[in-house]
Amino acid sequence: SISPDCSSVKFKRHKKVTLFAPTGRAAKRMEEQTGESAKTIHRGLEVNFSTGRLNFSRNENNPLETDVLIVDEVSMLDIKLAWSLLKAISVGTRVIFVGDKDQLPSVGAGNVLSDIITSGEVTVCELKQIFRQSGDSKIVINAHKINDGEMPNLSEKSSDFFYSAESDPQKVIDLIVQLVCRRIPNYDKNITSRDIQVISPMKTGVCGEVLIVRNFALQSQIFLHLIVVNCTIFCILSFR
């Protein structure tokens, strides 16, 4: 049973509970947090290419054998995969979708989690307590403002949220180098340059990933390992 206020989730001991997530990393995280086995949705539905195209062995004719199905990170779920998943669920199975409706929608077509919530056809409970930051964190406060359509507070100085405006592209580069190499580590002695990620929305241009890397390499002798994730560049800094 699930209480209306989300304060407790209880299942009878004889019930079989299955854990799915869209990605391998998310499934591994579920295992770490629950101590139970978790699979990607594709693996759980037994993906195969027997017909020369992607198919799932689990479907309406061969449904999942479980009493409760919990799917995490559902904001990543697109319409096609959601359709395949729901087809494989037999009558009587309890399904719990977990995710953040305020995250960007899936890369594939659809906005499954948000549409399910706004449909009003399913029971929805929302967790209000933030665990990643303290309750008075300006990151949390400004995130809520943005979700509510309000401008974040950019002028107030805090311990975890800072805003710097600069219109000259070269000065932006210089500012990033200063922040990573000196200002942030000097501000908080628990943070080193190794702990900082620089995110650029573009690859080319003066403020693009290529020139940011070049400036770090020239000015700081930093070796950077670049990871491209959905067109967002994460510059992972490592010093020798």
Side-chain angles (χ1 to χ4, degrees), residues 46 158 165 167 213 237:
E46 300 174 15
S158 71
S167 58
V213 171
L237 310 177

Side-chain angles (χ1 to χ4, degrees), residues 8 70 79 197 211-212 232 235 239:
S8 64
I70 301 176
I79 287 178
Q197 289 183 332
L211 284 183
I212 290 177
T232 300
C235 302
F239 290 73

Side-chain angles (χ1 to χ4, degrees), residues 83-96:
W83 176 65
S84 298
L85 176 63
L86 292 173
K87 282 199 306 179
I89 298 172
S90 58
V91 175
T93 300
R94 294 185 179 185
V95 181
I96 301 174

